[in-house]
Amino acid sequence: MNHKFKLALLSLVLGFLPIFSQYAENEKLIYHIENGGFFDCSASPLSSFASFRTSSGAVNMHMLYNFKTDMMYPALEPGDDLFQESVRSTLNLLWSSDEGGKCRIKVSDEGNVNFYEISISNDDRRIEKLLEITLEQNQLITGTQLAWSPSGKILLSLCERNIPIESDINPASFDFYTLRTRSTRPKNISNNRSIRELHGDNYMSNDFIISGVGESGFSNLYVVGPQTEMKQITYTQSISESWPAVSPNNDFVAFIHPKADDESAGDLYTLNLKEVNAEPVLVVENVYIPGTANSSGGQYQWANDSKGIFFIQKEAEQKNPLSFVNVSTMTKTRIELDAIFISSFAISYNEKQILYIAAGTKESDERISYKAYVGDFHY
């Protein structure tokens, strides 16, 4: 008896109209290491690839997975003509929004930091070290890739060249830069010494929405772009806008307000970008936040039709279920998975597969160390 038929039968027995929930099937374990951490699930918006980060001690490593071919491999590894027997970590992976099968990643190799571009075709990787990026080591070490626009521009947050990396860097010493996909010279686009950029996402084809801390000490949302003067779009005093995620139709931006008494939970809000002087709207309380989150990736994700948001509900009794909320009706539904205590997830670009990190399955005895799973997704 298939899953949809069982749901319909149950609905009829209970006296409801038959409705089909969102669920995953054919789920399987694809990666597990003892005493290792798993974080930052992310999916390419244009192709069948996804990624997650593993951590073992001081070393971080991104794994790439192809939903189409069921192949998985490290983003970088010894023998790639980039590293030999060195201790390296990969950080800050960003998938392209203008070309499928391409990502950029920040790499620390025995104290030396640079960015690399990885292109994947038929599961063959082509890796290019961006040697000609005109940045100094202090900028590379503290720099963060925030977003990759459909027009081929990458938004970077970089500190000043003359800031020693040993010192505590003043937030006012950071600025916005854009880097074209095929360029190695970042362009300063903000010259704004009052905002420390934290997280960002694409907005329209050429701009970005970022969350940043201003002189007031509060985090708010701003629009910035190569031809757009930085503009503040929220002025809240009681909400700290963090991890913005723009809806596919560019009508809304979702963000998290972290809870002061729980670093792994926050409240999910949306802001109507088409409405003048719009105020943030609370959508869901107690959304799970991974402790190492550098972006909204892996925490929550808009549906392709922009009607709702997938998220992880922090609910210990229900074992942190993956859930969905309709942003118009505020109706919440749980997504049926075999696994429990989900900590990160990514749904494929066509919403037919899912990658997620979880403590184990409902039937398993071992639920301490986290693992990576994939499955077919029905939405």
Side-chain angles (χ1 to χ4, degrees), residues 282-303:
L282 176 62
V283 178
V284 179
E285 294 183 302
N286 293 318
V287 171
Y288 178 76
I289 304 173
T292 61
N294 293 317
S295 70
S296 59
Q299 299 185 74
Y300 46 93
Q301 182 176 334
W302 281 94

Side-chain angles (χ1 to χ4, degrees), residues 68-213:
K68 185 177 181 180
T69 64
D70 194 29
M71 293 289 291
M72 182 176 61
Y73 30 77
L76 299 173
E77 60 183 340
D80 283 330
D81 297 326
L82 300 175
F83 308 100
Q84 298 304 318
E85 297 301 322
S86 58
V87 177
R88 72 205 183 283
S89 284
T90 60
L91 305 161
N92 192 201
L93 185 145
L94 190 65
W95 286 103
S96 170
S97 292
D98 76 320
E99 188 174 345
K102 180 176 286 188
C103 63
R104 283 196 175 183
I105 194 167
K106 182 177 178 179
V107 179
S108 175
D109 182 21
E110 293 188 333
N112 296 313
V113 176
N114 212 313
F115 289 94
Y116 292 74
E117 186 168 281
I118 302 173
S119 300
I120 316 167
S121 177
N122 297 321
D123 290 315
D124 290 327
R125 293 165 302 151
R126 186 179 75 251
I127 303 170
E128 177 184 0
K129 184 177 181 180
L130 303 177
L131 290 169
E132 298 178 15
I133 283 187
T134 54
L135 299 175
E136 296 180 7
Q137 273 297 301
N138 63 328
Q139 294 181 301
L140 290 168
I141 290 172
T142 59
T144 303
Q145 300 180 117
L146 297 174
W148 192 330
S149 75
S151 62
K153 296 182 179 66
I154 297 168
L155 183 66
L156 301 169
S157 174
L158 302 170
C159 71
E160 296 175 355
R161 292 178 179 274
N162 59 354
I163 301 294
I165 59 175
E166 295 83 8
S167 64
D168 292 330
I169 302 176
N170 190 309
S173 299
F174 284 83
D175 251 344
F176 282 134
Y177 291 75
T178 55
L179 180 67
R180 289 183 177 275
T181 304
R182 294 170 180 82
S183 170
T184 58
R185 293 183 176 273
K187 176 184 177 183
N188 189 313
I189 62 170
S190 68
N191 286 315
N192 189 315
R193 300 300 182 188
S194 62
I195 304 298
R196 169 64 173 111
E197 308 86 12
L198 299 177
H199 314 102
D201 197 12
N202 303 323
Y203 178 49
M204 309 300 285
S205 63
N206 210 36
D207 289 339
F208 306 93
I209 289 182
I210 62 103
S211 63
V213 178

Side-chain angles (χ1 to χ4, degrees), residues 221 233-234 251-255 269-273 278-281:
L221 298 181
I233 58 174
T234 60
D251 286 352
F252 293 89
V253 58
F255 63 86
Y269 286 78
T270 59
L271 179 74
N272 190 331
L273 297 171
E279 293 292 329
V281 175

